[in-house]
PDB file of all heavy atoms in Angstrom:
ATOM      1  N   TYR A 230     -65.162 -66.812 -85.199  1.00 83.00           N
ATOM      2  CA  TYR A 230     -65.322 -66.042 -86.427  1.00 83.00           C
ATOM      3  C   TYR A 230     -63.941 -65.665 -86.963  1.00 83.00           C
ATOM      4  O   TYR A 230     -63.105 -65.172 -86.190  1.00 83.00           O
ATOM      5  CB  TYR A 230     -66.090 -64.762 -86.098  1.00 83.00           C
ATOM      6  CG  TYR A 230     -66.887 -64.162 -87.231  1.00 83.00           C
ATOM      7  CD1 TYR A 230     -67.956 -63.323 -86.940  1.00 83.00           C
ATOM      8  CD2 TYR A 230     -66.590 -64.399 -88.564  1.00 83.00           C
ATOM      9  CE1 TYR A 230     -68.705 -62.750 -87.950  1.00 83.00           C
ATOM     10  CE2 TYR A 230     -67.332 -63.833 -89.575  1.00 83.00           C
ATOM     11  CZ  TYR A 230     -68.392 -63.014 -89.261  1.00 83.00           C
ATOM     12  OH  TYR A 230     -69.140 -62.444 -90.262  1.00 83.00           O
ATOM     13  N   TYR A 232     -61.664 -64.476 -90.881  1.00 93.00           N
ATOM     14  CA  TYR A 232     -61.719 -64.110 -92.291  1.00 93.00           C
ATOM     15  C   TYR A 232     -60.414 -64.529 -92.972  1.00 93.00           C
ATOM     16  O   TYR A 232     -59.370 -64.608 -92.342  1.00 93.00           O
ATOM     17  CB  TYR A 232     -61.835 -62.592 -92.479  1.00 93.00           C
ATOM     18  CG  TYR A 232     -62.796 -61.868 -91.568  1.00 93.00           C
ATOM     19  CD1 TYR A 232     -62.348 -61.279 -90.387  1.00 93.00           C
ATOM     20  CD2 TYR A 232     -64.133 -61.720 -91.907  1.00 93.00           C
ATOM     21  CE1 TYR A 232     -63.204 -60.568 -89.563  1.00 93.00           C
ATOM     22  CE2 TYR A 232     -64.998 -61.013 -91.086  1.00 93.00           C
ATOM     23  CZ  TYR A 232     -64.524 -60.437 -89.920  1.00 93.00           C
ATOM     24  OH  TYR A 232     -65.375 -59.735 -89.102  1.00 93.00           O
ATOM     25  N   TYR A 234     -58.205 -63.119 -96.336  1.00 97.00           N
ATOM     26  CA  TYR A 234     -58.037 -62.105 -97.373  1.00 97.00           C
ATOM     27  C   TYR A 234     -56.788 -62.462 -98.170  1.00 97.00           C
ATOM     28  O   TYR A 234     -55.924 -63.210 -97.693  1.00 97.00           O
ATOM     29  CB  TYR A 234     -57.821 -60.711 -96.753  1.00 97.00           C
ATOM     30  CG  TYR A 234     -59.045 -60.084 -96.150  1.00 97.00           C
ATOM     31  CD1 TYR A 234     -59.496 -60.462 -94.889  1.00 97.00           C
ATOM     32  CD2 TYR A 234     -59.750 -59.095 -96.828  1.00 97.00           C
ATOM     33  CE1 TYR A 234     -60.616 -59.874 -94.328  1.00 97.00           C
ATOM     34  CE2 TYR A 234     -60.868 -58.493 -96.273  1.00 97.00           C
ATOM     35  CZ  TYR A 234     -61.292 -58.890 -95.025  1.00 97.00           C
ATOM     36  OH  TYR A 234     -62.408 -58.300 -94.474  1.00 97.00           O
ATOM     37  N   GLN A 236     -53.705 -60.678-101.010  1.00 97.00           N
ATOM     38  CA  GLN A 236     -53.154 -59.457-101.590  1.00 97.00           C
ATOM     39  C   GLN A 236     -52.130 -59.856-102.640  1.00 97.00           C
ATOM     40  O   GLN A 236     -51.047 -60.357-102.304  1.00 97.00           O
ATOM     41  CB  GLN A 236     -52.505 -58.590-100.512  1.00 97.00           C
ATOM     42  CG  GLN A 236     -51.998 -57.250-101.012  1.00 97.00           C
ATOM     43  CD  GLN A 236     -51.359 -56.447 -99.902  1.00 97.00           C
ATOM     44  OE1 GLN A 236     -50.772 -56.976 -98.974  1.00 97.00           O
ATOM     45  NE2 GLN A 236     -51.460 -55.114 -99.996  1.00 97.00           N
ATOM     46  N   LYS A 241     -54.163 -54.080-103.814  1.00 94.00           N
ATOM     47  CA  LYS A 241     -54.893 -53.897-102.559  1.00 94.00           C
ATOM     48  C   LYS A 241     -55.274 -55.243-101.957  1.00 94.00           C
ATOM     49  O   LYS A 241     -55.183 -56.288-102.601  1.00 94.00           O
ATOM     50  CB  LYS A 241     -56.148 -53.056-102.796  1.00 94.00           C
ATOM     51  CG  LYS A 241     -57.180 -53.723-103.688  1.00 94.00           C
ATOM     52  CD  LYS A 241     -58.387 -52.838-103.877  1.00 94.00           C
ATOM     53  CE  LYS A 241     -59.429 -53.523-104.743  1.00 94.00           C
ATOM     54  NZ  LYS A 241     -60.619 -52.680-104.954  1.00 94.00           N
ATOM     55  N   VAL A 242     -55.676 -55.201-100.719  1.00 96.00           N
ATOM     56  CA  VAL A 242     -56.126 -56.395-100.006  1.00 96.00           C
ATOM     57  C   VAL A 242     -57.564 -56.708-100.434  1.00 96.00           C
ATOM     58  O   VAL A 242     -58.400 -55.805-100.522  1.00 96.00           O
ATOM     59  CB  VAL A 242     -56.070 -56.150 -98.483  1.00 96.00           C
ATOM     60  CG1 VAL A 242     -56.568 -57.366 -97.723  1.00 96.00           C
ATOM     61  CG2 VAL A 242     -54.651 -55.785 -98.057  1.00 96.00           C
ATOM     62  N   PHE A 244     -61.019 -59.313 -99.999  1.00 96.00           N
ATOM     63  CA  PHE A 244     -61.751 -60.273 -99.170  1.00 96.00           C
ATOM     64  C   PHE A 244     -61.937 -61.587 -99.920  1.00 96.00           C
ATOM     65  O   PHE A 244     -62.281 -61.604-101.109  1.00 96.00           O
ATOM     66  CB  PHE A 244     -63.106 -59.676 -98.806  1.00 96.00           C
ATOM     67  CG  PHE A 244     -64.054 -60.631 -98.149  1.00 96.00           C
ATOM     68  CD1 PHE A 244     -63.922 -60.955 -96.804  1.00 96.00           C
ATOM     69  CD2 PHE A 244     -65.097 -61.207 -98.870  1.00 96.00           C
ATOM     70  CE1 PHE A 244     -64.806 -61.833 -96.193  1.00 96.00           C
ATOM     71  CE2 PHE A 244     -65.987 -62.072 -98.262  1.00 96.00           C
ATOM     72  CZ  PHE A 244     -65.843 -62.387 -96.922  1.00 96.00           C
ATOM     73  N   GLU A 255     -69.889 -65.772 -95.651  1.00 93.00           N
ATOM     74  CA  GLU A 255     -69.872 -64.958 -96.868  1.00 93.00           C
ATOM     75  C   GLU A 255     -68.613 -65.284 -97.652  1.00 93.00           C
ATOM     76  O   GLU A 255     -67.574 -65.589 -97.069  1.00 93.00           O
ATOM     77  CB  GLU A 255     -69.889 -63.469 -96.523  1.00 93.00           C
ATOM     78  CG  GLU A 255     -70.035 -62.559 -97.718  1.00 93.00           C
ATOM     79  CD  GLU A 255     -70.116 -61.085 -97.351  1.00 93.00           C
ATOM     80  OE1 GLU A 255     -70.003 -60.757 -96.159  1.00 93.00           O
ATOM     81  OE2 GLU A 255     -70.271 -60.273 -98.268  1.00 93.00           O
ATOM     82  N   PHE A 290     -53.844 -63.560 -95.967  1.00 97.00           N
ATOM     83  CA  PHE A 290     -53.951 -63.117 -94.587  1.00 97.00           C
ATOM     84  C   PHE A 290     -55.186 -63.724 -93.918  1.00 97.00           C
ATOM     85  O   PHE A 290     -56.282 -63.705 -94.481  1.00 97.00           O
ATOM     86  CB  PHE A 290     -54.074 -61.589 -94.507  1.00 97.00           C
ATOM     87  CG  PHE A 290     -52.874 -60.842 -94.998  1.00 97.00           C
ATOM     88  CD1 PHE A 290     -52.912 -60.184 -96.218  1.00 97.00           C
ATOM     89  CD2 PHE A 290     -51.719 -60.789 -94.247  1.00 97.00           C
ATOM     90  CE1 PHE A 290     -51.802 -59.490 -96.681  1.00 97.00           C
ATOM     91  CE2 PHE A 290     -50.611 -60.090 -94.703  1.00 97.00           C
ATOM     92  CZ  PHE A 290     -50.648 -59.442 -95.923  1.00 97.00           C
ATOM     93  N   ASN A 298     -66.708 -56.309 -83.559  1.00 66.00           N
ATOM     94  CA  ASN A 298     -67.006 -57.070 -84.772  1.00 66.00           C
ATOM     95  C   ASN A 298     -67.026 -56.213 -86.021  1.00 66.00           C
ATOM     96  O   ASN A 298     -67.505 -56.648 -87.070  1.00 66.00           O
ATOM     97  CB  ASN A 298     -68.361 -57.800 -84.659  1.00 66.00           C
ATOM     98  CG  ASN A 298     -68.183 -59.204 -84.133  1.00 66.00           C
ATOM     99  OD1 ASN A 298     -67.080 -59.645 -83.851  1.00 66.00           O
ATOM    100  ND2 ASN A 298     -69.283 -59.900 -84.004  1.00 66.00           N
ATOM    101  N   THR A 299     -66.531 -54.990 -85.911  1.00 71.00           N
ATOM    102  CA  THR A 299     -66.468 -54.122 -87.080  1.00 71.00           C
ATOM    103  C   THR A 299     -65.033 -53.870 -87.498  1.00 71.00           C
ATOM    104  O   THR A 299     -64.798 -53.197 -88.481  1.00 71.00           O
ATOM    105  CB  THR A 299     -67.147 -52.773 -86.797  1.00 71.00           C
ATOM    106  OG1 THR A 299     -66.611 -52.242 -85.581  1.00 71.00           O
ATOM    107  CG2 THR A 299     -68.640 -52.946 -86.660  1.00 71.00           C
ATOM    108  N   GLU A 300     -64.072 -54.396 -86.736  1.00 81.00           N
ATOM    109  CA  GLU A 300     -62.679 -54.238 -87.126  1.00 81.00           C
ATOM    110  C   GLU A 300     -62.144 -55.618 -87.487  1.00 81.00           C
ATOM    111  O   GLU A 300     -62.745 -56.627 -87.139  1.00 81.00           O
ATOM    112  CB  GLU A 300     -61.851 -53.686 -85.965  1.00 81.00           C
ATOM    113  CG  GLU A 300     -62.453 -52.476 -85.308  1.00 81.00           C
ATOM    114  CD  GLU A 300     -62.431 -52.600 -83.795  1.00 81.00           C
ATOM    115  OE1 GLU A 300     -62.335 -53.724 -83.284  1.00 81.00           O
ATOM    116  OE2 GLU A 300     -62.519 -51.559 -83.138  1.00 81.00           O
ATOM    117  N   ALA A 301     -61.026 -55.642 -88.157  1.00 87.00           N
ATOM    118  CA  ALA A 301     -60.367 -56.906 -88.437  1.00 87.00           C
ATOM    119  C   ALA A 301     -58.896 -56.755 -88.111  1.00 87.00           C
ATOM    120  O   ALA A 301     -58.268 -55.764 -88.492  1.00 87.00           O
ATOM    121  CB  ALA A 301     -60.556 -57.309 -89.894  1.00 87.00           C
ATOM    122  N   PHE A 302     -58.370 -57.732 -87.375  1.00 90.00           N
ATOM    123  CA  PHE A 302     -56.962 -57.730 -87.004  1.00 90.00           C
ATOM    124  C   PHE A 302     -56.279 -58.849 -87.780  1.00 90.00           C
ATOM    125  O   PHE A 302     -56.700 -60.003 -87.714  1.00 90.00           O
ATOM    126  CB  PHE A 302     -56.816 -57.922 -85.487  1.00 90.00           C
ATOM    127  CG  PHE A 302     -57.367 -56.754 -84.715  1.00 90.00           C
ATOM    128  CD1 PHE A 302     -58.682 -56.776 -84.248  1.00 90.00           C
ATOM    129  CD2 PHE A 302     -56.599 -55.631 -84.475  1.00 90.00           C
ATOM    130  CE1 PHE A 302     -59.211 -55.700 -83.551  1.00 90.00           C
ATOM    131  CE2 PHE A 302     -57.111 -54.550 -83.775  1.00 90.00           C
ATOM    132  CZ  PHE A 302     -58.423 -54.582 -83.318  1.00 90.00           C
ATOM    133  N   PHE A 303     -55.235 -58.468 -88.488  1.00 94.00           N
ATOM    134  CA  PHE A 303     -54.613 -59.361 -89.462  1.00 94.00           C
ATOM    135  C   PHE A 303     -53.387 -60.082 -88.918  1.00 94.00           C
ATOM    136  O   PHE A 303     -52.636 -59.524 -88.106  1.00 94.00           O
ATOM    137  CB  PHE A 303     -54.200 -58.557 -90.701  1.00 94.00           C
ATOM    138  CG  PHE A 303     -55.356 -58.141 -91.558  1.00 94.00           C
ATOM    139  CD1 PHE A 303     -56.160 -57.062 -91.188  1.00 94.00           C
ATOM    140  CD2 PHE A 303     -55.663 -58.831 -92.718  1.00 94.00           C
ATOM    141  CE1 PHE A 303     -57.253 -56.689 -91.963  1.00 94.00           C
ATOM    142  CE2 PHE A 303     -56.752 -58.451 -93.503  1.00 94.00           C
ATOM    143  CZ  PHE A 303     -57.534 -57.390 -93.129  1.00 94.00           C
ATOM    144  N   GLY A 304     -53.189 -61.305 -89.405  1.00 93.00           N
ATOM    145  CA  GLY A 304     -51.956 -62.022 -89.153  1.00 93.00           C
ATOM    146  C   GLY A 304     -50.843 -61.489 -90.040  1.00 93.00           C
ATOM    147  O   GLY A 304     -51.056 -60.579 -90.846  1.00 93.00           O
ATOM    148  N   GLN A 305     -49.669 -62.107 -89.890  1.00 94.00           N
ATOM    149  CA  GLN A 305     -48.499 -61.672 -90.653  1.00 94.00           C
ATOM    150  C   GLN A 305     -48.564 -62.118 -92.101  1.00 94.00           C
ATOM    151  O   GLN A 305     -47.809 -61.614 -92.934  1.00 94.00           O
ATOM    152  CB  GLN A 305     -47.222 -62.227 -90.016  1.00 94.00           C
ATOM    153  CG  GLN A 305     -46.967 -61.709 -88.625  1.00 94.00           C
ATOM    154  CD  GLN A 305     -46.481 -60.275 -88.634  1.00 94.00           C
ATOM    155  OE1 GLN A 305     -47.269 -59.338 -88.777  1.00 94.00           O
ATOM    156  NE2 GLN A 305     -45.195 -60.084 -88.484  1.00 94.00           N
TER     157      GLN A 305
ATOM    158  N   GLN B 188     -65.933 -49.780-104.960  1.00 83.00           N
ATOM    159  CA  GLN B 188     -64.566 -49.329-105.140  1.00 83.00           C
ATOM    160  C   GLN B 188     -64.263 -48.236-104.136  1.00 83.00           C
ATOM    161  O   GLN B 188     -65.098 -47.365-103.895  1.00 83.00           O
ATOM    162  CB  GLN B 188     -64.400 -48.744-106.552  1.00 83.00           C
ATOM    163  CG  GLN B 188     -64.573 -49.736-107.666  1.00 83.00           C
ATOM    164  CD  GLN B 188     -63.238 -50.306-108.115  1.00 83.00           C
ATOM    165  OE1 GLN B 188     -62.321 -50.427-107.335  1.00 83.00           O
ATOM    166  NE2 GLN B 188     -63.158 -50.661-109.378  1.00 83.00           N
ATOM    167  N   LEU B 218     -62.145 -47.730 -91.675  1.00 95.00           N
ATOM    168  CA  LEU B 218     -60.947 -48.122 -90.936  1.00 95.00           C
ATOM    169  C   LEU B 218     -59.724 -47.666 -91.717  1.00 95.00           C
ATOM    170  O   LEU B 218     -59.749 -47.613 -92.950  1.00 95.00           O
ATOM    171  CB  LEU B 218     -60.895 -49.649 -90.769  1.00 95.00           C
ATOM    172  CG  LEU B 218     -62.126 -50.305 -90.140  1.00 95.00           C
ATOM    173  CD1 LEU B 218     -62.035 -51.819 -90.253  1.00 95.00           C
ATOM    174  CD2 LEU B 218     -62.261 -49.904 -88.686  1.00 95.00           C
ATOM    175  N   TYR B 220     -55.578 -48.548 -92.086  1.00 97.00           N
ATOM    176  CA  TYR B 220     -54.532 -49.506 -91.791  1.00 97.00           C
ATOM    177  C   TYR B 220     -53.201 -49.011 -92.344  1.00 97.00           C
ATOM    178  O   TYR B 220     -53.152 -48.275 -93.337  1.00 97.00           O
ATOM    179  CB  TYR B 220     -54.827 -50.865 -92.457  1.00 97.00           C
ATOM    180  CG  TYR B 220     -55.931 -51.670 -91.816  1.00 97.00           C
ATOM    181  CD1 TYR B 220     -57.259 -51.488 -92.180  1.00 97.00           C
ATOM    182  CD2 TYR B 220     -55.639 -52.643 -90.873  1.00 97.00           C
ATOM    183  CE1 TYR B 220     -58.274 -52.252 -91.605  1.00 97.00           C
ATOM    184  CE2 TYR B 220     -56.642 -53.417 -90.300  1.00 97.00           C
ATOM    185  CZ  TYR B 220     -57.948 -53.211 -90.667  1.00 97.00           C
ATOM    186  OH  TYR B 220     -58.939 -53.967 -90.100  1.00 97.00           O
ATOM    187  N   GLN B 222     -49.470 -50.739 -93.653  1.00 97.00           N
ATOM    188  CA  GLN B 222     -48.826 -51.997 -93.994  1.00 97.00           C
ATOM    189  C   GLN B 222     -47.357 -51.753 -94.308  1.00 97.00           C
ATOM    190  O   GLN B 222     -47.016 -50.941 -95.169  1.00 97.00           O
ATOM    191  CB  GLN B 222     -49.514 -52.654 -95.196  1.00 97.00           C
ATOM    192  CG  GLN B 222     -48.987 -54.051 -95.491  1.00 97.00           C
ATOM    193  CD  GLN B 222     -49.702 -54.721 -96.646  1.00 97.00           C
ATOM    194  OE1 GLN B 222     -50.169 -54.073 -97.568  1.00 97.00           O
ATOM    195  NE2 GLN B 222     -49.805 -56.044 -96.594  1.00 97.00           N
ATOM    196  N   GLU B 226     -45.510 -57.565 -94.392  1.00 93.00           N
ATOM    197  CA  GLU B 226     -46.285 -57.718 -93.154  1.00 93.00           C
ATOM    198  C   GLU B 226     -47.777 -57.619 -93.439  1.00 93.00           C
ATOM    199  O   GLU B 226     -48.192 -57.207 -94.517  1.00 93.00           O
ATOM    200  CB  GLU B 226     -45.902 -56.605 -92.159  1.00 93.00           C
ATOM    201  CG  GLU B 226     -44.421 -56.512 -91.858  1.00 93.00           C
ATOM    202  CD  GLU B 226     -43.984 -57.545 -90.848  1.00 93.00           C
ATOM    203  OE1 GLU B 226     -44.784 -57.878 -89.960  1.00 93.00           O
ATOM    204  OE2 GLU B 226     -42.844 -58.032 -90.970  1.00 93.00           O
ATOM    205  N   GLY B 227     -48.566 -57.975 -92.419  1.00 94.00           N
ATOM    206  CA  GLY B 227     -49.999 -57.791 -92.544  1.00 94.00           C
ATOM    207  C   GLY B 227     -50.394 -56.364 -92.209  1.00 94.00           C
ATOM    208  O   GLY B 227     -49.655 -55.646 -91.533  1.00 94.00           O
ATOM    209  N   PRO B 228     -51.578 -55.926 -92.663  1.00 96.00           N
ATOM    210  CA  PRO B 228     -52.042 -54.577 -92.325  1.00 96.00           C
ATOM    211  C   PRO B 228     -52.262 -54.455 -90.816  1.00 96.00           C
ATOM    212  O   PRO B 228     -52.771 -55.380 -90.183  1.00 96.00           O
ATOM    213  CB  PRO B 228     -53.375 -54.468 -93.070  1.00 96.00           C
ATOM    214  CG  PRO B 228     -53.354 -55.541 -94.097  1.00 96.00           C
ATOM    215  CD  PRO B 228     -52.518 -56.632 -93.539  1.00 96.00           C
ATOM    216  N   LEU B 230     -54.095 -52.174 -87.875  1.00 95.00           N
ATOM    217  CA  LEU B 230     -55.167 -51.199 -87.686  1.00 95.00           C
ATOM    218  C   LEU B 230     -54.655 -49.972 -86.939  1.00 95.00           C
ATOM    219  O   LEU B 230     -54.033 -50.075 -85.891  1.00 95.00           O
ATOM    220  CB  LEU B 230     -56.311 -51.837 -86.901  1.00 95.00           C
ATOM    221  CG  LEU B 230     -57.533 -50.952 -86.654  1.00 95.00           C
ATOM    222  CD1 LEU B 230     -58.219 -50.596 -87.974  1.00 95.00           C
ATOM    223  CD2 LEU B 230     -58.518 -51.655 -85.716  1.00 95.00           C
ATOM    224  N   TYR B 235     -66.825 -44.971 -86.620  1.00 92.00           N
ATOM    225  CA  TYR B 235     -68.105 -45.670 -86.618  1.00 92.00           C
ATOM    226  C   TYR B 235     -69.309 -44.793 -86.964  1.00 92.00           C
ATOM    227  O   TYR B 235     -70.386 -45.315 -87.260  1.00 92.00           O
ATOM    228  CB  TYR B 235     -68.347 -46.311 -85.252  1.00 92.00           C
ATOM    229  CG  TYR B 235     -67.261 -47.271 -84.842  1.00 92.00           C
ATOM    230  CD1 TYR B 235     -66.353 -46.939 -83.841  1.00 92.00           C
ATOM    231  CD2 TYR B 235     -67.131 -48.507 -85.466  1.00 92.00           C
ATOM    232  CE1 TYR B 235     -65.349 -47.817 -83.478  1.00 92.00           C
ATOM    233  CE2 TYR B 235     -66.126 -49.390 -85.110  1.00 92.00           C
ATOM    234  CZ  TYR B 235     -65.247 -49.041 -84.109  1.00 92.00           C
ATOM    235  OH  TYR B 235     -64.251 -49.898 -83.745  1.00 92.00           O
ATOM    236  N   PHE B 273     -53.775 -47.919 -96.059  1.00 97.00           N
ATOM    237  CA  PHE B 273     -55.008 -48.353 -96.711  1.00 97.00           C
ATOM    238  C   PHE B 273     -56.217 -47.903 -95.902  1.00 97.00           C
ATOM    239  O   PHE B 273     -56.254 -48.065 -94.685  1.00 97.00           O
ATOM    240  CB  PHE B 273     -55.077 -49.885 -96.805  1.00 97.00           C
ATOM    241  CG  PHE B 273     -54.141 -50.500 -97.800  1.00 97.00           C
ATOM    242  CD1 PHE B 273     -52.952 -51.065 -97.390  1.00 97.00           C
ATOM    243  CD2 PHE B 273     -54.463 -50.532 -99.148  1.00 97.00           C
ATOM    244  CE1 PHE B 273     -52.083 -51.647 -98.292  1.00 97.00           C
ATOM    245  CE2 PHE B 273     -53.597 -51.115-100.067  1.00 97.00           C
ATOM    246  CZ  PHE B 273     -52.407 -51.663 -99.632  1.00 97.00           C
ATOM    247  N   GLN B 277     -66.694 -50.828 -94.326  1.00 91.00           N
ATOM    248  CA  GLN B 277     -67.660 -51.902 -94.139  1.00 91.00           C
ATOM    249  C   GLN B 277     -69.024 -51.359 -94.487  1.00 91.00           C
ATOM    250  O   GLN B 277     -69.378 -50.253 -94.068  1.00 91.00           O
ATOM    251  CB  GLN B 277     -67.687 -52.359 -92.685  1.00 91.00           C
ATOM    252  CG  GLN B 277     -66.725 -53.446 -92.350  1.00 91.00           C
ATOM    253  CD  GLN B 277     -66.915 -53.920 -90.934  1.00 91.00           C
ATOM    254  OE1 GLN B 277     -67.377 -53.174 -90.085  1.00 91.00           O
ATOM    255  NE2 GLN B 277     -66.540 -55.144 -90.673  1.00 91.00           N
ATOM    256  N   THR B 280     -72.180 -56.018 -94.474  1.00 76.00           N
ATOM    257  CA  THR B 280     -71.695 -57.208 -93.784  1.00 76.00           C
ATOM    258  C   THR B 280     -70.343 -56.903 -93.153  1.00 76.00           C
ATOM    259  O   THR B 280     -69.861 -55.780 -93.226  1.00 76.00           O
ATOM    260  CB  THR B 280     -71.551 -58.386 -94.757  1.00 76.00           C
ATOM    261  OG1 THR B 280     -70.517 -58.087 -95.700  1.00 76.00           O
ATOM    262  CG2 THR B 280     -72.850 -58.646 -95.488  1.00 76.00           C
ATOM    263  N   ASP B 281     -69.736 -57.915 -92.543  1.00 80.00           N
ATOM    264  CA  ASP B 281     -68.475 -57.681 -91.847  1.00 80.00           C
ATOM    265  C   ASP B 281     -67.268 -57.588 -92.771  1.00 80.00           C
ATOM    266  O   ASP B 281     -66.202 -57.193 -92.350  1.00 80.00           O
ATOM    267  CB  ASP B 281     -68.222 -58.808 -90.840  1.00 80.00           C
ATOM    268  CG  ASP B 281     -69.236 -58.778 -89.719  1.00 80.00           C
ATOM    269  OD1 ASP B 281     -69.845 -57.719 -89.506  1.00 80.00           O
ATOM    270  OD2 ASP B 281     -69.424 -59.825 -89.074  1.00 80.00           O
ATOM    271  N   LYS B 282     -67.396 -57.990 -94.032  1.00 90.00           N
ATOM    272  CA  LYS B 282     -66.225 -57.978 -94.894  1.00 90.00           C
ATOM    273  C   LYS B 282     -65.747 -56.546 -95.107  1.00 90.00           C
ATOM    274  O   LYS B 282     -66.542 -55.593 -95.116  1.00 90.00           O
ATOM    275  CB  LYS B 282     -66.534 -58.635 -96.242  1.00 90.00           C
ATOM    276  CG  LYS B 282     -67.348 -57.781 -97.176  1.00 90.00           C
ATOM    277  CD  LYS B 282     -67.546 -58.479 -98.508  1.00 90.00           C
ATOM    278  CE  LYS B 282     -68.323 -57.567 -99.455  1.00 90.00           C
ATOM    279  NZ  LYS B 282     -68.765 -58.290-100.657  1.00 90.00           N
ATOM    280  N   LEU B 283     -64.440 -56.412 -95.251  1.00 93.00           N
ATOM    281  CA  LEU B 283     -63.841 -55.108 -95.496  1.00 93.00           C
ATOM    282  C   LEU B 283     -63.563 -54.932 -96.981  1.00 93.00           C
ATOM    283  O   LEU B 283     -63.068 -55.842 -97.640  1.00 93.00           O
ATOM    284  CB  LEU B 283     -62.522 -54.972 -94.729  1.00 93.00           C
ATOM    285  CG  LEU B 283     -62.624 -54.969 -93.199  1.00 93.00           C
ATOM    286  CD1 LEU B 283     -61.229 -54.852 -92.594  1.00 93.00           C
ATOM    287  CD2 LEU B 283     -63.510 -53.840 -92.728  1.00 93.00           C
ATOM    288  N   PHE B 285     -61.203 -52.788 -99.278  1.00 96.00           N
ATOM    289  CA  PHE B 285     -59.997 -51.990 -99.101  1.00 96.00           C
ATOM    290  C   PHE B 285     -59.825 -50.984-100.234  1.00 96.00           C
ATOM    291  O   PHE B 285     -60.220 -51.231-101.382  1.00 96.00           O
ATOM    292  CB  PHE B 285     -58.754 -52.892 -99.047  1.00 96.00           C
ATOM    293  CG  PHE B 285     -58.487 -53.444 -97.688  1.00 96.00           C
ATOM    294  CD1 PHE B 285     -59.202 -54.530 -97.214  1.00 96.00           C
ATOM    295  CD2 PHE B 285     -57.528 -52.870 -96.875  1.00 96.00           C
ATOM    296  CE1 PHE B 285     -58.963 -55.029 -95.952  1.00 96.00           C
ATOM    297  CE2 PHE B 285     -57.278 -53.373 -95.606  1.00 96.00           C
ATOM    298  CZ  PHE B 285     -57.997 -54.456 -95.145  1.00 96.00           C
ATOM    299  N   GLY B 286     -59.199 -49.863 -99.882  1.00 96.00           N
ATOM    300  CA  GLY B 286     -58.832 -48.880-100.877  1.00 96.00           C
ATOM    301  C   GLY B 286     -57.567 -49.295-101.607  1.00 96.00           C
ATOM    302  O   GLY B 286     -56.948 -50.320-101.304  1.00 96.00           O
TER     303      GLY B 286
END
Side-chain angles (χ1 to χ4, degrees):
Chain A
Y230 207 157
Y232 317 95
Y234 287 79
Q236 184 180 32
K241 65 180 181 180
V242 179
F244 170 78
E255 187 177 3
F290 296 106
N298 267 0
T299 51
E300 311 134 339
F302 294 94
F303 287 78
Q305 296 286 79
Chain B
Q188 295 265 31
L218 306 170
Y220 287 87
Q222 187 178 30
E226 305 280 327
L230 182 65
Y235 302 107
F273 288 100
Q277 271 185 333
T280 66
D281 293 339
K282 76 177 182 191
L283 294 179
F285 276 79

